[in-house]
Amino acid sequence: MLNKNILLCVTGGIAVYKAAALTSKLVQAGAKVKVIMSKSACQFVTPLTFQALSRNDVYTDTFDEKHPEVIAHIDLADWADLVLVAPATANVIGKLANGIADDMITTTLLATTAPVWIAPAMNVHMYNHPAVIKNIETLAGFGYQFVEPNEGYLACGYVGKGRLEEPEKIVSLVTNYFQTQTNILSGQTILITAGPTKEMIDPVRYLTNRSSGKMGYALAEEAVKMGAKVILVSSVDSLTTPKDVQFVKITSAEDMYQAVMDNYQKASIIIKSAAVADYRPKEISNQKLKKKDGNLIIEFERTKDILLELGKKEDKPFLVGFAAETEKIDEYAWSKLERKNADMIVANDVTKAGAGFEGDTNIVTLYKKNHEKKELPLLSKNQTAKEILLEIYRDLKEGVKNANS
Ligand code: CTP
């Protein structure tokens, strides 16, 4: 984060005190921080606190032009490498979603072309209000990133979702963001499998699962941005293949097995985010099955476990498996890591809101070979992908160091 320009917009909620800690931690991490406060934010903590922590002027009023040679809100908007709104109230979210610019924060936010991250903090019922939900969706549609609030005790006395994410976590997400802006994966070839497999019963019917492939596609897109060469193996045709990705279209688990085995030696990293069928019909009828009286019984046989097979290879690349679970996440994830000889398992509890199959967000936990466990907060699938890739990059770097030492 060294010398990155972070513009922190602080709006009025009790979590303003956490924004002071956030300012300090960002400065300690090497960032240059400038702060804009809303009038209400100044009711909680004085601008002097932020001035002292950021070692910069604090802006509160659009018309209080400190430097006559520039227009402050345009100058700040252009200066920022990243704009963070933390805490973000329902009010600022609403104004921004509707293009309202009536104070220093909102005029600057409309004027910036830098990425904007919003970390909401408010009462649980406010957060769940349909207007707030709609405004957040609108902003997400504009490309704004959200750092979701935590659940827990709220200053208003309620227990629920609405607590500003901890400053340490926000700093870590920001650090990771800047790191992923560089070509850290150049020279790596990543083989990614995504989405469900389709197991044919007859020429017109198949068995599949609810996986959408969005997580795998997000991984492919972000990996290319980080400089990797990407081979994507998938049955999905409803998503656009990310730019510069080599796409291998498959249908069944057997096709995926063949495609992976044909390509695995080219890859330094394999990410198996696909939801592969564990069973397939023993016989595929050449003709469409006609209905008959009584029940239909189809015999199934096991498919090949691709990840398990890869884990046995002597020349195995860095292997990442996925685990979508509905219970005992820890237990199943650790046992999958061990059993399949993977280097990392990305597990999620698909029963949790925001962590399901079809959505655009995910909540995952990473289980690593060195017994480290890393929980990620609710993030967009693209942000989750960036965090996973960054963790792989760090593990590989660490591995190289270990091998050399
Ligand atoms: N996988 C695979 N080949 C299969 C099945 C799964 O490569 N035939 C991979 C998936 O891509 C994923 C991981 O293995 O990375 C999931 O592990 P798995 O044990 O198969 O999970 P489940 O299908 O949920 O199985 P279980 O019933 O054991 O939980």
Side-chain angles (χ1 to χ4, degrees):
M1 227 195 300
L2 202 64
N3 292 331
K4 291 292 178 195
N5 294 341
I6 298 179
L7 181 62
L8 179 64
C9 299
V10 183
T11 63
I14 185 65
V16 172
Y17 81 93
K18 279 183 164 179
L22 178 60
T23 307
S24 169
K25 287 182 193 304
L26 288 168
V27 170
Q28 287 173 51
K32 290 181 183 161
V33 182
K34 291 188 182 178
V35 178
I36 313 180
M37 298 178 75
S38 70
K39 289 268 176 305
S40 337
C42 298
Q43 301 284 333
F44 291 91
V45 175
T46 65
L48 185 60
T49 304
F50 287 93
Q51 182 186 303
L53 291 170
S54 68
R55 293 174 219 139
N56 268 313
D57 286 333
V58 172
Y59 298 77
T60 54
D61 183 349
T62 327
F63 300 103
D64 175 21
E65 293 287 4
K66 296 175 198 296
H67 307 286
E69 66 280 11
V70 292
I71 307 291
H73 67 278
I74 304 297
D75 191 46
L76 286 173
D78 292 344
W79 171 84
D81 293 314
L82 179 76
V83 182
L84 250 176
V85 190
T89 57
N91 186 46
V92 79
I93 290 170
K95 285 206 269 186
L96 205 49
N98 291 285
I100 295 168
D102 64 351
D103 63 6
M104 184 63 191
I105 288 183
T106 46
T107 47
T108 310
L109 283 169
L110 287 202
T112 193
T113 54
V116 178
W117 288 20
I118 299 183
M122 63 194 79
N123 164 273
V124 58
H125 296 315
M126 290 174 81
Y127 190 64
N128 289 329
H129 191 284
V132 175
I133 292 172
K134 188 165 159 268
N135 289 333
I136 288 177
E137 281 169 4
T138 303
L139 291 177
F142 294 164
Y144 288 72
Q145 300 280 356
F146 281 83
V147 180
E148 291 279 321
N150 282 326
E151 288 199 25
Y153 177 78
L154 304 175
C156 54
Y158 276 94
V159 174
K161 193 167 180 174
R163 262 164 58 156
L164 180 70
E165 181 57 276
E166 293 308 318
E168 293 79 2
K169 196 77 180 196
I170 299 179
V171 173
S172 142
L173 290 172
V174 173
T175 310
N176 289 355
Y177 165 76
F178 283 118
Q179 242 186 319
T180 56
Q181 294 306 294
T182 56
N183 277 348
I184 53 172
L185 293 177
S186 79
Q188 306 282 357
T189 298
I190 312 187
L191 175 62
I192 299 172
T193 67
T197 59
K198 295 171 184 169
E199 306 305 326
M200 300 308 290
I201 297 171
D202 69 14
V204 297
R205 301 179 180 98
Y206 58 78
L207 284 155
T208 190
N209 57 64
R210 288 180 55 204
S211 168
S212 65
K214 284 183 180 175
M215 193 61 240
Y217 273 63
L219 281 160
E221 189 182 338
E222 298 303 333
V224 168
K225 284 191 202 158
M226 292 183 202
K229 216 174 136 208
V230 175
I231 305 168
L232 177 64
V233 177
S234 181
S235 71
V236 175
D237 36 30
S238 55
L239 299 172
T240 314
T241 306
K243 208 169 154 270
D244 297 328
V245 164
Q246 183 191 332
F247 186 67
V248 183
K249 180 88 195 308
I250 54 95
T251 304
S252 65
E254 182 59 27
D255 297 344
M256 186 174 279
Y257 175 83
Q258 291 304 338
V260 170
M261 292 307 159
D262 287 348
N263 286 289
Y264 92 91
Q265 282 170 320
K266 297 178 199 155
S268 46
I269 301 162
I270 297 187
I271 308 180
K272 290 233 66 255
S273 63
V276 189
D278 291 322
Y279 296 91
R280 65 173 170 219
K282 201 166 174 190
E283 309 259 311
I284 303 175
S285 171
N286 288 331
Q287 303 299 330
K288 184 184 161 196
L289 294 177
K290 302 305 282 180
K291 60 181 159 305
K292 296 188 185 128
D293 288 343
N295 296 336
L296 170 70
I297 295 170
I298 299 175
E299 198 182 340
F300 285 92
E301 63 184 5
R302 285 290 299 270
T303 56
K304 293 181 188 124
D305 191 321
I306 310 165
L307 186 58
L308 188 89
E309 292 304 319
L310 288 168
K312 290 181 193 161
K313 303 271 181 208
E314 271 194 21
D315 56 348
K316 92 177 176 69
F318 189 93
L319 273 188
V320 182
F322 268 64
E325 306 289 358
T326 54
E327 57 169 357
K328 301 185 195 162
I329 319 293
D330 271 1
E331 187 187 321
Y332 290 152
W334 287 124
S335 94
K336 250 167 228 182
L337 185 83
E338 193 70 32
R339 190 161 40 87
K340 304 207 182 193
N341 194 23
D343 297 285
M344 187 186 291
I345 291 288
V346 180
N348 62 344
D349 177 349
V350 288
T351 62
K352 270 195 195 162
F357 282 119
E358 288 98 356
D360 291 318
T361 58
N362 214 346
I363 312 168
V364 304
T365 304
L366 313 182
Y367 298 81
K368 309 201 308 181
K369 213 154 191 179
N370 61 1
H371 304 293
E372 233 178 72
K373 174 180 155 185
K374 186 168 179 184
E375 287 181 34
L376 298 181
L378 191 148
L379 296 169
S380 71
K381 283 191 172 161
N382 278 74
Q383 266 183 298
T384 305
K386 280 186 200 172
E387 295 291 321
I388 294 169
L389 292 165
L390 193 58
E391 207 56 38
I392 296 171
Y393 160 75
R394 286 181 182 147
D395 279 8
L396 280 172
K397 222 169 82 175
E398 208 47 43
V400 170
K401 260 193 229 145
N402 291 344
N404 291 342
S405 61

